[in-house]
Each structure stands twice: as C-alpha cells, then as structure tokens.
Amino acid sequence: MAQYPPIMPDMPVLLHGGDYNPEQWIKMKDTIWPQDMELAKKAGVNTLSVGIFSWSMLEPEEGVYHFEWLDEVMDMLAKNGIKAILATPSGARPAWMAEKYPEVLRMDAMRHKQLFGARHNHCLTSPVYREKVRQINTLLATRYKDHPALGMWHISNEYGGECHCPLCQDAFRKWLKARYGTIENMNDQFWNTFWSHRYSSFEQVESPSPIGENWNLALSLAWRRFTSDQFCDFYSHEIAPLKEITPDIPCTANLMDFFPGIDYFKFGKLLDRASWDNYPPWTGDERDKESALHTAIMHDIIRGVGGQKPFMMMESSPSAVNWHPINRLRQPGILMLQSLQAIAHGSDTVQYFQFRKGLGSSEQYHGAIVGHDNSDQSRIFREVSEVGHTLGKISEVTGSAPESKVALIYDWDNLWILNEAQFGNNENKKYIETVKDHYAAWKQLGYNVDMIDQTGDLTPYQIVCGPMLYLLKDGFAEKVQAFVEKGGTYVATYITGWVNEENLAHLGGYPGPLRNVLGIWDEETDTLDDTRKNHFTYNGKSYACKDVCALVHAESAKPLASYEEYFYQGMPALTKNTLGKGQAYYIAARTDRDFLRAFYADVAAEKSLTPLMKNLPDGVLCTERSGDKGDYLFVMNTQPEERTITLPAGLNLRTDEAMEGEYTLNGYEVLVLKRLSSYSLHS
Ligand code: GLA
Ligand code: ZN
C-alpha cells in the first residue's frame, strides 16, 4: 500500500483552485482583489497559480523590475490561507525582449523567423533567453523563498513546439555527435547510403524540413528525441536557481493531453510531481463515455509519468472552453464528475483555468469560476463551491494512490517512429487508438491500470500489455523475457518488434528479439481498408478483424484462434506461448473492444486477478486508491442516465452513509466508498 506525502506539507488536503491573473486587474485592484479573496474562500479554494504570464508586468523594461504588485498578491493569499503555485514567466516574453534580442524568437521548419506575439514560442537554445530566464527565476526565488504563501513552483506553461534557428541547428548537431560519436556511425545507423544521403561531416546536417530532408525517418526520429531532450534541458535550466534557493519547494510543469512533442516519461523524471491540463469535450450524451475513457487513460499516463505518485490536475474548465470547434455548456453534474474522476485516478488536486474571466483578449469567454457577472450566484460558481465542499469531505484520500497488477505500455519513441514509418495504412497507424482500446477493455472489466513506457519497471505487475511496439528499445526484450520466465503474462500484438531503437529493421524475422518469448514468426502483415474484415472464433464466439492482420507461424506457441477468410485462412490469429513460469500472448489482428474484453477477462482469470467491481454497466467506470487510512473505491457514471450497480460494503464518504449491494447512480453521479474492510481495520 502506498502513502505519499501531501504535495505541500503545510496544506495536507486535496488542493482546489486554479490559474489566477490578478495583474490583469491591477487598475481595479482595490475592488476586484478583495472580492477575489471573498469568492475564493466561498468556493473552497485553497490554492491559486499566479504569475504564469506575468513577465511584462514583472520586468516592463529590461532590468526594471516591479515586484510590488506580486508582493501584495502573495501577502493577500497568505492572509487568506491560500497557497500560491508560483510560476516562472517563461511561457510568454515581453515585447522589448523580442525587439532587442531577436534570437529569442523561434524559426519554423521552413526557416521563417517568427515575429513577436502569441506565447509558448521561445527558442529552446538561445543563450539570451536562458540568461533572462535564469535572472528572473533567481529574483523570484530570492524574493519569495521565505514567503508563507509559496507552496510550489509552476515552471513556465505547457512546454511545446520546436525551433529550427541556427542556434538550434548547432545544438542538434552536438546532440547527434554525442549520440553517434562519428558521422560514419550516424550514417550507418540512419541507413544513409539509401538515396546517396551519406554526410561527410555533422556540419552538413540540417533539421527535417519540407524544403529539405523530410524522408529520412531516422533523422526525423533523432529530431523528435533532440527537441524533447531540449525541453528536459530547458526545464533543468529553469529549476536550477529554484532548487538552489528554495530546495524544499516542489516543482512541476503542466503537461498536455496526448501531446506528442515531448517524451513525458523521460521529462517526468525531472518533475517533483507530474501535472496536466484536462479539457475533454463533454457533450452531455453517450459520447461522454469516450471522453471519460480518454480522460481516464490520460490521468493514468500522467500518474505513470510521475512515477505512480499522486499527481495534479493543474487545469480544467469549470464550464465550456472557448477553443473547441463547438463549445457546449457543461451539463449539471459533469463538473463534479470531471473533478472526482481526476481524484479517482490519483490526482491530489482539482485546479481550473481560470479563477476569473478576463474582460478582453482571446480567452474572454473561456469558462471560469467567476464570470463577467462577478457573482457567487451563478450556476458555475455554485457547482465549483460544491466541488470544493466535496473535496473537503473526501480529503482523507490525500496521498493514497491507485495500485495495479496490470500495466499497459505507451511509448513516445514508438509513437514518433510509427508516425513516420511508411507501410500499411499511411493515413493512420492508429497507435494511440489501439492503446486506448486495450485500456478501455481493462477499464470496462473493472481494473486499475498503470501506464508505463518501455523503460518502466515490469516487476510490480502480473500482466503487462504492449500493443504495437513496432520499435523495441535496447534491453526491453530481455526485460520482458525475464518478466515472463518469472511468471508474468505478457501480451503483444501485430506490428511488434520490427525495428530496433535506431529504426533499423531486425534481420531474422519479426517480432525480432521478442520472437523467442512469443514463440512465433510474424512473416507478413495484411492491411485492410474499411470495406474488408476477417474473422476468427474464440471460445465459441466470432470476432471481426479490421485494419491489420499479421500472418503468423506458431513456433513454440500454440494457436488459440485462426483466421477464417482470405488466403491466410487457417493461420493463427491468436497465440499463447509458455516460457518458464509465465506466458506470452500474441494478438495477430486488430479487433474491436469486445474481443479484447473477453480475452483480458480470461487472461486475468488465469492469474486469479479479481476486478474492483464485477459486471460494470456500460458507461460506468471505477478505480481504487489505497493508502494508510484505507481503500477508496470511486464509482463514476459517465452518462446522463441512471445506472444500477452492485456495491461492496463501505462508507460513502460524501454522505457518511454505510452502503452495500444494489445502488442506482444518477446521471453523472460519482460515489466515493471507503471499503468496509479498510474502515473497520483502520478506524
Ligand atoms: C491551456 C493553457 C491556459 C489556457 C487554457 C485554456 O491549458 O495552459 O493558459 O490557455 O489552455 O483552455
Ligand atoms: Zn532556436
């Protein structure tokens, strides 16, 4: 059982709050700021993120600093018992900096230099930008190191994008040299004799571009890895003065939903806590099932990125956002569902963007706790206050975390190269969709799932699923083999083990170094368009195969099902290999979730795993967090209609009622049940 310390030691409860931009109201501060504090307290807000885009207010001219307003804000927060998540301002820069030092501006892949504007667009390499960031971060840390409001550092905002300027080209070449040593070796690893692409010096290498090199897959992969590493490096640079001056204050950077640009598992190792910004398109109808699953897997990815510790939902919208194509109002109940779903998956926070709706600019109609009505009587304000109240009631879950015997692999290197690779269906290899399908099957069966990447430790798990691991990182196959030999169950699918970490195909048949573990030879792969389906029968039931069918020979493995159509009729569609004390399955074709659900139910039964709840109705999800004080089952109805479930014995933490047996959840209702075994044991 895991019990983690609270994110902020002097705020040992679930955190509730959001992005707060008091500097936008500085000319009305005498009326607005005191109202903000009153409204924040009414809504049960205990944490606000400040300073995220404040650079031009902190340093309006080079070297001219104005911290007085922030001093006042920090004092005001402290006085009102609110903790500050204080941001470094690098997410957007002042105009004077762009004017005086154009090197801070990005260059795009077409080699166009950008103008001043927007945000999240600084050069990652620029020594000037790095120096300016070091200066301002040092000043912030020095000024607020002993301030009672300082609870955490919020580093920049939503790092992303890429820069192709000469400084970045130079850094890329150095990165390549460090990785490959010699240009000869790099040419070999990239297979550069193809199309006469051998370089004779690193100086000739340019980042991928539509007007230059855009067909060299290994170069593209290297560029993705480099850019991701540049963000790790930039983050390390940003936190260096903070760690020196405020060593006890935790740091985070807010991550994004399935953001492809940074290997979050690698980046996450640098974060004290992982955090992310959650903006699902809740539509108030059956599509919310998919939104809920999407959000669930993202919460679990972020928890995995943060080493399975409680993480932070750093942003979410209290109502409609302003940037989806159609911004539907949140139906009553959805805000509570969205908020408790985050907690259910291990978040110790519910934070929103934004506290108060601005009067102008591009986010003036984005959902906020306080609207342009400036009222505590709005529906949104009341719903946010109810969330605040509920977080208070369930606050004993703080520091507990979900535990799982099942891990699912999602891997950025694999995503990057599958986005580049030319074979099969070139419009969409459907890697993310496939991972989500496997995840959905486990969730519909009622299990907690840990999300890891290929570098993750497999030993805590009984079942590890690695769908579509086309690229196998060095050492991964050996790790899987040891896991299976010791008794684990490994599940692989079609398109596994084609290339090594450098994108060179394995000579000697797919799935490369996993061939022994899986006991198969995957000889060819058929790609089906939407008009074609194959079929197989598993446990007496027929299932459809779509998109991808691998033509597999069972070597030491045993076939469990075979194709029923096309020229490969009779070849295995599903195999099982036994190795040491464990087993390895190969799902040769892409199927719908119905098969995955039936199959994983059997795989779990073979391991004697039991779900958190049985017979979950369609649209109901559950998770469990465990800690020193007990085990907490979260049951979530992601649909507007009622759903009937059967509950284990427990205490409903939201109502203080004992519960057991049949219960009908209202639309979007969430139950937080402390299991009876745990509350009788622990209290
Ligand atoms: C992102 C940003 C915020 C804000 C919200 C709007 O997550 O971090 O600054 O723009 O989107 O949804
Ligand atoms: Zn650059």
PDB file of all heavy atoms in Angstrom, residues 19 52-53 119-120 154 157-158 254-256 277-279 315-317 321-323 353 363 366, ligand 1:
ATOM      1  N   ASP A  19      -5.753  28.828 -12.080  1.00  0.00           N
ATOM      2  CA  ASP A  19      -4.948  29.939 -12.607  1.00  0.00           C
ATOM      3  C   ASP A  19      -5.589  31.263 -12.192  1.00  0.00           C
ATOM      4  O   ASP A  19      -6.774  31.489 -12.438  1.00  0.00           O
ATOM      5  CB  ASP A  19      -4.905  29.894 -14.143  1.00  0.00           C
ATOM      6  CG  ASP A  19      -3.931  28.851 -14.668  1.00  0.00           C
ATOM      7  OD1 ASP A  19      -3.700  27.856 -13.967  1.00  0.00           O
ATOM      8  OD2 ASP A  19      -3.422  29.039 -15.792  1.00  0.00           O
ATOM      9  N   ILE A  52       1.797  33.230 -14.142  1.00  0.00           N
ATOM     10  CA  ILE A  52       2.110  32.355 -15.284  1.00  0.00           C
ATOM     11  C   ILE A  52       2.541  33.157 -16.519  1.00  0.00           C
ATOM     12  O   ILE A  52       3.486  32.783 -17.191  1.00  0.00           O
ATOM     13  CB  ILE A  52       0.924  31.413 -15.595  1.00  0.00           C
ATOM     14  CG1 ILE A  52       0.720  30.477 -14.404  1.00  0.00           C
ATOM     15  CG2 ILE A  52       1.196  30.597 -16.865  1.00  0.00           C
ATOM     16  CD1 ILE A  52      -0.435  29.512 -14.522  1.00  0.00           C
ATOM     17  N   PHE A  53       1.829  34.241 -16.793  1.00  0.00           N
ATOM     18  CA  PHE A  53       2.227  35.051 -17.958  1.00  0.00           C
ATOM     19  C   PHE A  53       2.506  36.492 -17.527  1.00  0.00           C
ATOM     20  O   PHE A  53       2.015  37.443 -18.121  1.00  0.00           O
ATOM     21  CB  PHE A  53       1.119  35.013 -19.024  1.00  0.00           C
ATOM     22  CG  PHE A  53       0.862  33.634 -19.575  1.00  0.00           C
ATOM     23  CD1 PHE A  53      -0.341  32.979 -19.333  1.00  0.00           C
ATOM     24  CD2 PHE A  53       1.834  32.979 -20.326  1.00  0.00           C
ATOM     25  CE1 PHE A  53      -0.568  31.700 -19.841  1.00  0.00           C
ATOM     26  CE2 PHE A  53       1.614  31.697 -20.829  1.00  0.00           C
ATOM     27  CZ  PHE A  53       0.407  31.064 -20.587  1.00  0.00           C
ATOM     28  N   ARG A 119       2.407  33.004 -27.598  1.00  0.00           N
ATOM     29  CA  ARG A 119       3.099  32.522 -26.394  1.00  0.00           C
ATOM     30  C   ARG A 119       3.684  31.147 -26.693  1.00  0.00           C
ATOM     31  O   ARG A 119       3.492  30.612 -27.766  1.00  0.00           O
ATOM     32  CB  ARG A 119       2.113  32.424 -25.222  1.00  0.00           C
ATOM     33  CG  ARG A 119       0.950  31.494 -25.531  1.00  0.00           C
ATOM     34  CD  ARG A 119       0.009  31.298 -24.344  1.00  0.00           C
ATOM     35  NE  ARG A 119      -1.106  30.443 -24.729  1.00  0.00           N
ATOM     36  CZ  ARG A 119      -1.987  29.946 -23.893  1.00  0.00           C
ATOM     37  NH1 ARG A 119      -1.928  30.228 -22.601  1.00  0.00           N
ATOM     38  NH2 ARG A 119      -2.960  29.169 -24.322  1.00  0.00           N
ATOM     39  N   HIS A 120       4.369  30.581 -25.730  1.00  0.00           N
ATOM     40  CA  HIS A 120       4.940  29.235 -25.858  1.00  0.00           C
ATOM     41  C   HIS A 120       5.792  29.145 -27.121  1.00  0.00           C
ATOM     42  O   HIS A 120       5.704  28.166 -27.860  1.00  0.00           O
ATOM     43  CB  HIS A 120       3.829  28.165 -25.942  1.00  0.00           C
ATOM     44  CG  HIS A 120       2.899  28.176 -24.775  1.00  0.00           C
ATOM     45  ND1 HIS A 120       1.619  27.694 -24.837  1.00  0.00           N
ATOM     46  CD2 HIS A 120       3.058  28.623 -23.512  1.00  0.00           C
ATOM     47  CE1 HIS A 120       1.021  27.844 -23.672  1.00  0.00           C
ATOM     48  NE2 HIS A 120       1.877  28.405 -22.842  1.00  0.00           N
ATOM     49  N   HIS A 154       5.550  26.474 -10.501  1.00  0.00           N
ATOM     50  CA  HIS A 154       4.869  26.090 -11.751  1.00  0.00           C
ATOM     51  C   HIS A 154       5.813  26.549 -12.851  1.00  0.00           C
ATOM     52  O   HIS A 154       5.947  27.741 -13.112  1.00  0.00           O
ATOM     53  CB  HIS A 154       3.548  26.866 -11.782  1.00  0.00           C
ATOM     54  CG  HIS A 154       2.637  26.630 -12.935  1.00  0.00           C
ATOM     55  ND1 HIS A 154       2.944  26.956 -14.233  1.00  0.00           N
ATOM     56  CD2 HIS A 154       1.377  26.128 -12.963  1.00  0.00           C
ATOM     57  CE1 HIS A 154       1.908  26.659 -15.006  1.00  0.00           C
ATOM     58  NE2 HIS A 154       0.943  26.153 -14.259  1.00  0.00           N
ATOM     59  N   ASN A 157       4.785  27.301 -18.862  1.00  0.00           N
ATOM     60  CA  ASN A 157       3.429  26.830 -19.113  1.00  0.00           C
ATOM     61  C   ASN A 157       3.420  25.968 -20.361  1.00  0.00           C
ATOM     62  O   ASN A 157       3.927  26.377 -21.409  1.00  0.00           O
ATOM     63  CB  ASN A 157       2.467  28.015 -19.308  1.00  0.00           C
ATOM     64  CG  ASN A 157       1.021  27.573 -19.241  1.00  0.00           C
ATOM     65  OD1 ASN A 157       0.548  27.145 -18.193  1.00  0.00           O
ATOM     66  ND2 ASN A 157       0.325  27.650 -20.364  1.00  0.00           N
ATOM     67  N   GLU A 158       2.909  24.780 -20.235  1.00  0.00           N
ATOM     68  CA  GLU A 158       2.692  23.893 -21.380  1.00  0.00           C
ATOM     69  C   GLU A 158       3.822  23.960 -22.409  1.00  0.00           C
ATOM     70  O   GLU A 158       3.611  24.326 -23.569  1.00  0.00           O
ATOM     71  CB  GLU A 158       1.346  24.199 -22.041  1.00  0.00           C
ATOM     72  CG  GLU A 158       0.179  23.895 -21.137  1.00  0.00           C
ATOM     73  CD  GLU A 158      -1.179  23.943 -21.827  1.00  0.00           C
ATOM     74  OE1 GLU A 158      -1.304  24.605 -22.866  1.00  0.00           O
ATOM     75  OE2 GLU A 158      -2.119  23.317 -21.306  1.00  0.00           O
ATOM     76  N   ASN A 254       3.220  21.936 -16.243  1.00  0.00           N
ATOM     77  CA  ASN A 254       1.919  21.385 -16.654  1.00  0.00           C
ATOM     78  C   ASN A 254       1.994  20.775 -18.053  1.00  0.00           C
ATOM     79  O   ASN A 254       2.380  21.419 -19.015  1.00  0.00           O
ATOM     80  CB  ASN A 254       0.790  22.425 -16.530  1.00  0.00           C
ATOM     81  CG  ASN A 254       1.102  23.760 -17.190  1.00  0.00           C
ATOM     82  OD1 ASN A 254       2.265  24.092 -17.433  1.00  0.00           O
ATOM     83  ND2 ASN A 254       0.071  24.512 -17.498  1.00  0.00           N
ATOM     84  N   LEU A 255       1.618  19.505 -18.122  1.00  0.00           N
ATOM     85  CA  LEU A 255       1.708  18.725 -19.361  1.00  0.00           C
ATOM     86  C   LEU A 255       0.363  18.746 -20.085  1.00  0.00           C
ATOM     87  O   LEU A 255      -0.637  19.200 -19.528  1.00  0.00           O
ATOM     88  CB  LEU A 255       2.130  17.283 -19.024  1.00  0.00           C
ATOM     89  CG  LEU A 255       3.368  17.165 -18.122  1.00  0.00           C
ATOM     90  CD1 LEU A 255       3.692  15.708 -17.835  1.00  0.00           C
ATOM     91  CD2 LEU A 255       4.578  17.856 -18.736  1.00  0.00           C
ATOM     92  N   MET A 256       0.370  18.237 -21.315  1.00  0.00           N
ATOM     93  CA  MET A 256      -0.840  18.332 -22.145  1.00  0.00           C
ATOM     94  C   MET A 256      -1.328  16.953 -22.588  1.00  0.00           C
ATOM     95  O   MET A 256      -0.582  15.984 -22.622  1.00  0.00           O
ATOM     96  CB  MET A 256      -0.558  19.198 -23.366  1.00  0.00           C
ATOM     97  CG  MET A 256      -0.349  20.652 -23.029  1.00  0.00           C
ATOM     98  SD  MET A 256       0.009  21.619 -24.506  1.00  0.00           S
ATOM     99  CE  MET A 256       1.758  21.374 -24.708  1.00  0.00           C
ATOM    100  N   ASP A 277      -3.128  19.389 -17.893  1.00  0.00           N
ATOM    101  CA  ASP A 277      -4.276  20.245 -18.164  1.00  0.00           C
ATOM    102  C   ASP A 277      -5.328  19.451 -18.922  1.00  0.00           C
ATOM    103  O   ASP A 277      -5.069  18.958 -20.018  1.00  0.00           O
ATOM    104  CB  ASP A 277      -3.822  21.457 -18.983  1.00  0.00           C
ATOM    105  CG  ASP A 277      -2.748  22.253 -18.245  1.00  0.00           C
ATOM    106  OD1 ASP A 277      -2.620  22.080 -17.013  1.00  0.00           O
ATOM    107  OD2 ASP A 277      -2.033  23.032 -18.893  1.00  0.00           O
ATOM    108  N   ASN A 278      -6.519  19.359 -18.333  1.00  0.00           N
ATOM    109  CA  ASN A 278      -7.533  18.412 -18.806  1.00  0.00           C
ATOM    110  C   ASN A 278      -8.751  19.131 -19.397  1.00  0.00           C
ATOM    111  O   ASN A 278      -9.493  19.772 -18.663  1.00  0.00           O
ATOM    112  CB  ASN A 278      -7.955  17.562 -17.588  1.00  0.00           C
ATOM    113  CG  ASN A 278      -9.067  16.590 -17.909  1.00  0.00           C
ATOM    114  OD1 ASN A 278      -9.203  16.143 -19.038  1.00  0.00           O
ATOM    115  ND2 ASN A 278      -9.870  16.270 -16.905  1.00  0.00           N
ATOM    116  N   TYR A 279      -8.928  18.999 -20.706  1.00  0.00           N
ATOM    117  CA  TYR A 279     -10.050  19.700 -21.367  1.00  0.00           C
ATOM    118  C   TYR A 279     -10.865  18.777 -22.265  1.00  0.00           C
ATOM    119  O   TYR A 279     -10.887  18.947 -23.488  1.00  0.00           O
ATOM    120  CB  TYR A 279      -9.504  20.875 -22.184  1.00  0.00           C
ATOM    121  CG  TYR A 279      -8.911  21.953 -21.311  1.00  0.00           C
ATOM    122  CD1 TYR A 279      -7.538  22.106 -21.193  1.00  0.00           C
ATOM    123  CD2 TYR A 279      -9.743  22.799 -20.579  1.00  0.00           C
ATOM    124  CE1 TYR A 279      -6.994  23.094 -20.372  1.00  0.00           C
ATOM    125  CE2 TYR A 279      -9.211  23.786 -19.758  1.00  0.00           C
ATOM    126  CZ  TYR A 279      -7.835  23.922 -19.665  1.00  0.00           C
ATOM    127  OH  TYR A 279      -7.313  24.887 -18.861  1.00  0.00           O
ATOM    128  N   GLU A 315      -5.052  22.124 -14.602  1.00  0.00           N
ATOM    129  CA  GLU A 315      -6.094  22.962 -15.223  1.00  0.00           C
ATOM    130  C   GLU A 315      -7.241  22.068 -15.659  1.00  0.00           C
ATOM    131  O   GLU A 315      -7.033  20.910 -16.032  1.00  0.00           O
ATOM    132  CB  GLU A 315      -5.568  23.679 -16.477  1.00  0.00           C
ATOM    133  CG  GLU A 315      -4.510  24.711 -16.252  1.00  0.00           C
ATOM    134  CD  GLU A 315      -4.053  25.337 -17.577  1.00  0.00           C
ATOM    135  OE1 GLU A 315      -4.828  25.313 -18.552  1.00  0.00           O
ATOM    136  OE2 GLU A 315      -2.915  25.832 -17.615  1.00  0.00           O
ATOM    137  N   SER A 316      -8.426  22.652 -15.635  1.00  0.00           N
ATOM    138  CA  SER A 316      -9.619  22.027 -16.213  1.00  0.00           C
ATOM    139  C   SER A 316     -10.602  23.175 -16.316  1.00  0.00           C
ATOM    140  O   SER A 316     -10.400  24.216 -15.705  1.00  0.00           O
ATOM    141  CB  SER A 316     -10.158  20.927 -15.296  1.00  0.00           C
ATOM    142  OG  SER A 316     -10.527  21.458 -14.033  1.00  0.00           O
ATOM    143  N   SER A 317     -11.656  22.998 -17.108  1.00  0.00           N
ATOM    144  CA  SER A 317     -12.561  24.142 -17.234  1.00  0.00           C
ATOM    145  C   SER A 317     -13.794  23.937 -16.371  1.00  0.00           C
ATOM    146  O   SER A 317     -14.416  22.883 -16.414  1.00  0.00           O
ATOM    147  CB  SER A 317     -12.978  24.345 -18.683  1.00  0.00           C
ATOM    148  OG  SER A 317     -13.810  25.474 -18.731  1.00  0.00           O
ATOM    149  N   VAL A 321     -15.103  25.515 -22.625  1.00  0.00           N
ATOM    150  CA  VAL A 321     -13.894  26.250 -23.007  1.00  0.00           C
ATOM    151  C   VAL A 321     -14.273  27.155 -24.180  1.00  0.00           C
ATOM    152  O   VAL A 321     -15.438  27.199 -24.590  1.00  0.00           O
ATOM    153  CB  VAL A 321     -12.723  25.303 -23.382  1.00  0.00           C
ATOM    154  CG1 VAL A 321     -12.337  24.444 -22.212  1.00  0.00           C
ATOM    155  CG2 VAL A 321     -13.049  24.453 -24.599  1.00  0.00           C
ATOM    156  N   ASN A 322     -13.319  27.867 -24.733  1.00  0.00           N
ATOM    157  CA  ASN A 322     -13.636  28.755 -25.858  1.00  0.00           C
ATOM    158  C   ASN A 322     -12.961  28.314 -27.137  1.00  0.00           C
ATOM    159  O   ASN A 322     -13.045  28.987 -28.148  1.00  0.00           O
ATOM    160  CB  ASN A 322     -13.205  30.187 -25.537  1.00  0.00           C
ATOM    161  CG  ASN A 322     -11.692  30.287 -25.451  1.00  0.00           C
ATOM    162  OD1 ASN A 322     -11.026  29.345 -25.035  1.00  0.00           O
ATOM    163  ND2 ASN A 322     -11.141  31.409 -25.855  1.00  0.00           N
ATOM    164  N   TRP A 323     -12.253  27.158 -27.095  1.00  0.00           N
ATOM    165  CA  TRP A 323     -11.414  26.824 -28.249  1.00  0.00           C
ATOM    166  C   TRP A 323     -11.746  25.486 -28.905  1.00  0.00           C
ATOM    167  O   TRP A 323     -11.117  25.118 -29.882  1.00  0.00           O
ATOM    168  CB  TRP A 323      -9.938  26.870 -27.855  1.00  0.00           C
ATOM    169  CG  TRP A 323      -9.591  26.091 -26.628  1.00  0.00           C
ATOM    170  CD1 TRP A 323      -9.560  26.563 -25.342  1.00  0.00           C
ATOM    171  CD2 TRP A 323      -9.238  24.703 -26.533  1.00  0.00           C
ATOM    172  NE1 TRP A 323      -9.206  25.554 -24.466  1.00  0.00           N
ATOM    173  CE2 TRP A 323      -9.002  24.405 -25.172  1.00  0.00           C
ATOM    174  CE3 TRP A 323      -9.097  23.678 -27.473  1.00  0.00           C
ATOM    175  CZ2 TRP A 323      -8.638  23.126 -24.724  1.00  0.00           C
ATOM    176  CZ3 TRP A 323      -8.729  22.410 -27.030  1.00  0.00           C
ATOM    177  CH2 TRP A 323      -8.503  22.154 -25.664  1.00  0.00           C
ATOM    178  N   PHE A 353      -8.624  26.311 -15.084  1.00  0.00           N
ATOM    179  CA  PHE A 353      -8.328  27.535 -15.792  1.00  0.00           C
ATOM    180  C   PHE A 353      -9.698  28.154 -16.032  1.00  0.00           C
ATOM    181  O   PHE A 353     -10.495  27.575 -16.747  1.00  0.00           O
ATOM    182  CB  PHE A 353      -7.612  27.308 -17.124  1.00  0.00           C
ATOM    183  CG  PHE A 353      -7.325  28.612 -17.797  1.00  0.00           C
ATOM    184  CD1 PHE A 353      -6.168  29.307 -17.516  1.00  0.00           C
ATOM    185  CD2 PHE A 353      -8.257  29.179 -18.655  1.00  0.00           C
ATOM    186  CE1 PHE A 353      -5.932  30.540 -18.103  1.00  0.00           C
ATOM    187  CE2 PHE A 353      -8.018  30.420 -19.232  1.00  0.00           C
ATOM    188  CZ  PHE A 353      -6.857  31.098 -18.949  1.00  0.00           C
ATOM    189  N   GLU A 363      -9.163  34.846 -24.543  1.00  0.00           N
ATOM    190  CA  GLU A 363      -9.830  33.886 -23.662  1.00  0.00           C
ATOM    191  C   GLU A 363     -10.951  34.526 -22.843  1.00  0.00           C
ATOM    192  O   GLU A 363     -11.322  34.027 -21.784  1.00  0.00           O
ATOM    193  CB  GLU A 363      -8.794  33.179 -22.788  1.00  0.00           C
ATOM    194  CG  GLU A 363      -8.011  32.170 -23.628  1.00  0.00           C
ATOM    195  CD  GLU A 363      -6.881  31.471 -22.908  1.00  0.00           C
ATOM    196  OE1 GLU A 363      -6.438  31.955 -21.854  1.00  0.00           O
ATOM    197  OE2 GLU A 363      -6.427  30.432 -23.424  1.00  0.00           O
ATOM    198  N   HIS A 366     -13.664  32.060 -22.052  1.00  0.00           N
ATOM    199  CA  HIS A 366     -13.312  30.736 -21.528  1.00  0.00           C
ATOM    200  C   HIS A 366     -13.939  30.567 -20.142  1.00  0.00           C
ATOM    201  O   HIS A 366     -13.960  31.489 -19.336  1.00  0.00           O
ATOM    202  CB  HIS A 366     -11.783  30.631 -21.424  1.00  0.00           C
ATOM    203  CG  HIS A 366     -11.299  29.242 -21.148  1.00  0.00           C
ATOM    204  ND1 HIS A 366     -11.491  28.612 -19.931  1.00  0.00           N
ATOM    205  CD2 HIS A 366     -10.639  28.346 -21.927  1.00  0.00           C
ATOM    206  CE1 HIS A 366     -10.955  27.399 -19.983  1.00  0.00           C
ATOM    207  NE2 HIS A 366     -10.438  27.215 -21.179  1.00  0.00           N
TER     208      HIS A 366
HETATM  209  C1  GLA B   1      -4.093  25.907 -21.703  1.00  0.00           C
HETATM  210  C2  GLA B   1      -3.230  26.983 -21.068  1.00  0.00           C
HETATM  211  C3  GLA B   1      -4.006  28.036 -20.346  1.00  0.00           C
HETATM  212  C4  GLA B   1      -5.267  28.391 -21.079  1.00  0.00           C
HETATM  213  C5  GLA B   1      -6.089  27.147 -21.275  1.00  0.00           C
HETATM  214  C6  GLA B   1      -7.430  27.387 -21.934  1.00  0.00           C
HETATM  215  O1  GLA B   1      -4.200  24.768 -20.979  1.00  0.00           O
HETATM  216  O2  GLA B   1      -2.261  26.460 -20.211  1.00  0.00           O
HETATM  217  O3  GLA B   1      -3.172  29.165 -20.220  1.00  0.00           O
HETATM  218  O4  GLA B   1      -4.951  28.943 -22.309  1.00  0.00           O
HETATM  219  O5  GLA B   1      -5.381  26.267 -22.107  1.00  0.00           O
HETATM  220  O6  GLA B   1      -8.188  26.215 -22.017  1.00  0.00           O
END
